[in-house]
Amino acid sequence: MINGLISKNTVFDNYGRPVTSLRIQLNAICNFNCFFCHMEGTERNMSFLTPENIEKIVEVAASHGVNKVKFTGGEPTLRNDILEIIRRTRKHINGSISMTTNGVLLPILAVKLKDAGLDRVNISMHSNDDYTFEKITNVRRDYLDTVKRGIQAANNAGLTPVKVNFVVLKGINEDQIDSMINFCAKNHAILQLIEFETSRGRENSGDYLKYHVSLEPIEEKIKKRSIYMERNELHNRERYILNTLDGEVKVEFVKPMHNKDFCKHCTRLRVTADGNFKTCLLRENDYFNIKDKLNNQRSLDEEFIKAVKNRIPYWR
Ligand SMILES: Nc1nc2c(ncn2[C@@H]2O[C@H](COP(=O)(O)OP(=O)(O)OP(=O)(O)O)[C@@H](O)[C@H]2O)c(=O)[nH]1
Ligand code: SF4
Ligand code: SF4
C-alpha cells in the first residue's frame, strides 16, 4: 500500500497516482557499456546539475510530500561530488535514499556513501559467469569479481537490503536464474529479475525480438518454489520468498511491458542529469525544463506540479 507514504502535501496526477519519490539521473556516462542500456531514456554525455541545483529540486519535491529518492545514471558513483549530493539530499528526505550502480566502485566507496546518508543500493550483475558478463557489459571479465566485492562491501557497510539487478536476456543469461538465486542467498541480496523493455512500436525491432523473454513462465516456477509472496508497493511488483540451502532469499519481478498494473502503481517523477523533469521512462518528448528555474523557487514549484499533472500511465 502506498498510503503509508502519502502526506497532506502529496501531489496526485490526473490518474489518481501520487508522486512520492524522485528518480534523479546524476550523469549519462558509464564505465560499462551494456548493449541494452537505456540511459533512463535520455541522450548520452549530457551536462550535469550541480549538487546545489539537486538540493533545490529535492527541497521543492520534499515540500510536495516526496519522501524517497533514487539516484541513477549512467553510473552515479563516477561523479566526484557524489557524497556532497547525498549529504544535501539527506537534509530534506527522511525516507529511503538509494542508488542504482554497476558496483565497481563500491569496494572503495560503500562506507563513505553510507556515512553520507545513502540507505541502500541496487547493483547490476547480469551474469554470474565471467564470459557472459564480458559479453553483456563490454568490459574485461575480471571486473565481475570487483562487482561481487562491491556487493560484499555494500552489505558490510549496511547499504541494505542490497538488490541485485538481473535483466533476463534470451540466449544470453536466461539459463543462469538458479545460479543467481543461489548467489543472492549466499550474499544476502534480493534478486530482481527484470524484463527487457522497449517503447511501444519498437517491439518489432532487432534487439527486442532477439533478446526479450517473457518472465511469466519463470515466475510460475519461482512461485511454486516459494514459501510466501509479498508486494513492493512500487509498481505493485511481486516478490517471492524462497528457502535455499543458504537460507531465505527474495526474488522480485520487474515486468514493465504491457503491464497496466505496473504503470498504475508508478509513483516516481524523474529528473534528467541536465535539468528536466521527465514524467515517464518510456515516453519521448515529456521533458519539463527546469534549468532556468533553479534560482526561482516559485517557478520550480509550479514546474513540479505541472510535470506531475502531465503524468500519464504508459500502458493503460
Ligand atoms: N518502465 C519502467 N521500468 C522501470 C521503472 N523503474 C525501474 N524500471 C526498470 O527496473 C530496472 C531496475 O530499476 P532500479 O533502478 O534498480 O530501481 P527499482 O528496482 O525500480 O527501485 P527500488 O525497488 O526502489 O530499488 C530499471 O533499469 C528499469 O529497467 C519504471 O518506473 N518504469
Ligand atoms: S552498467 Fe547500467 S548505466 Fe552502465 S552501461 Fe550498463 S546498463 Fe548502462
Ligand atoms: S508510467 Fe509506466 S512506463 Fe512510464 S515510468 Fe511509470 S511505470 Fe514506467
Side-chain angles (χ1 to χ4, degrees):
M1 287 284 110
I2 39 189
N3 293 351
L5 298 174
I6 294 170
S7 75
K8 64 179 182 355
N9 299 327
T10 305
V11 187
F12 288 73
D13 64 27
N14 296 330
Y15 297 81
R17 302 177 305 169
V19 168
T20 54
S21 78
L22 271 196
R23 190 173 169 97
I24 306 178
Q25 182 195 30
L26 293 183
N27 56 18
I29 50 165
C30 187
N31 41 2
F32 283 15
N33 190 13
C34 305
F35 68 83
F36 55 77
C37 180
H38 55 52
M39 272 301 158
E40 297 290 317
T42 66
E43 300 296 320
R44 285 163 198 255
N45 296 324
M46 50 176 62
S47 60
F48 308 158
L49 292 169
T50 65
E52 290 85 352
N53 294 159
I54 293 168
E55 181 176 356
K56 281 182 185 150
I57 296 167
V58 169
E59 191 175 6
V60 162
S63 76
H64 290 293
V66 164
N67 54 20
K68 273 175 74 181
V69 167
K70 162 83 73 197
F71 291 117
T72 69
E75 176 47 47
T77 59
L78 290 182
R79 282 196 63 151
N80 54 20
D81 50 9
I82 184 67
L83 300 177
E84 183 184 352
I85 292 171
I86 294 169
R87 271 187 224 109
R88 286 177 179 267
T89 301
R90 185 39 92 198
K91 288 200 271 175
H92 307 282
I93 295 292
N94 50 29
S96 153
I97 303 179
S98 62
M99 178 190 285
T100 300
T101 169
N102 61 29
V104 155
L105 289 172
L106 288 179
I108 48 173
L109 276 181
V111 171
K112 290 179 185 157
L113 292 168
K114 178 71 183 182
D115 289 348
L118 191 70
D119 290 308
R120 62 183 183 86
V121 281
N122 293 12
I123 302 175
S124 307
M125 185 177 136
H126 305 296
S127 175
N128 196 13
D129 85 64
D130 53 5
Y131 171 78
T132 313
F133 174 85
E134 181 173 309
K135 196 166 161 188
I136 293 173
T137 58
N138 291 298
V139 295
R140 277 200 338 252
R141 57 190 70 181
D142 44 319
Y143 278 110
L144 175 58
D145 198 48
T146 318
V147 173
K148 290 180 178 173
R149 284 194 288 112
I151 292 170
Q152 279 165 6
N155 266 319
N156 293 342
L159 290 171
T160 53
V162 172
K163 285 182 156 189
V164 168
N165 280 351
F166 183 93
V167 176
V168 185
L169 301 161
K170 186 170 26 182
I172 304 264
N173 63 6
E174 59 185 323
D175 56 347
Q176 294 184 14
I177 291 172
D178 284 343
S179 114
M180 288 303 295
I181 290 173
N182 293 337
F183 173 85
C184 287
K186 277 198 185 84
N187 288 278
H188 312 289
I190 297 174
L191 176 63
Q192 288 212 121
L193 296 179
I194 301 169
E195 183 181 18
F196 187 93
E197 62 183 307
T198 194
S199 310
R200 200 183 281 115
R202 298 222 175 117
E203 290 132 298
N204 289 323
S205 74
D207 273 3
Y208 188 79
L209 286 178
K210 202 164 163 192
Y211 300 118
H212 177 264
V213 184
S214 165
L215 298 192
E216 302 297 338
I218 299 170
E219 184 176 350
E220 269 313 302
K221 281 193 198 148
I222 303 265
K223 193 176 180 175
K224 284 195 185 122
R225 270 184 71 182
S226 66
I227 44 178
Y228 63 95
M229 191 259 260
E230 58 189 29
R231 296 255 179 196
N232 181 346
E233 73 212 8
L234 174 69
H235 303 135
N236 205 26
R237 300 175 189 175
E238 300 87 351
R239 192 186 281 155
Y240 298 93
I241 293 76
L242 313 185
N243 259 334
T244 74
L245 291 175
D246 293 297
E248 272 189 14
V249 63
K250 296 185 177 185
V251 182
E252 182 165 327
F253 281 83
V254 183
K255 298 177 298 182
M257 290 302 290
H258 299 279
N259 188 344
K260 294 180 189 166
D261 199 44
F262 193 86
C263 294
K264 187 175 163 192
H265 293 85
C266 177
T267 49
R268 296 173 152 160
L269 185 66
R270 291 162 185 267
V271 178
T272 65
D274 61 344
N276 294 278
F277 287 128
K278 185 171 183 351
T279 65
C280 171
L281 171 66
L282 295 181
R283 236 169 247 288
E284 286 163 15
N285 306 320
D286 66 330
Y287 296 100
F288 293 80
N289 191 335
I290 46 176
K291 282 183 278 271
D292 309 329
K293 305 188 167 73
L294 292 163
N295 289 322
N296 183 333
Q297 183 147 356
R298 189 153 163 214
S299 307
L300 201 52
D301 217 58
E302 284 168 4
E303 211 59 25
F304 177 89
I305 292 172
K306 194 162 131 198
V308 174
K309 293 293 176 195
N310 275 279
R311 290 173 86 239
I312 304 175
Y314 190 76
W315 307 109
R316 66 195 164 103

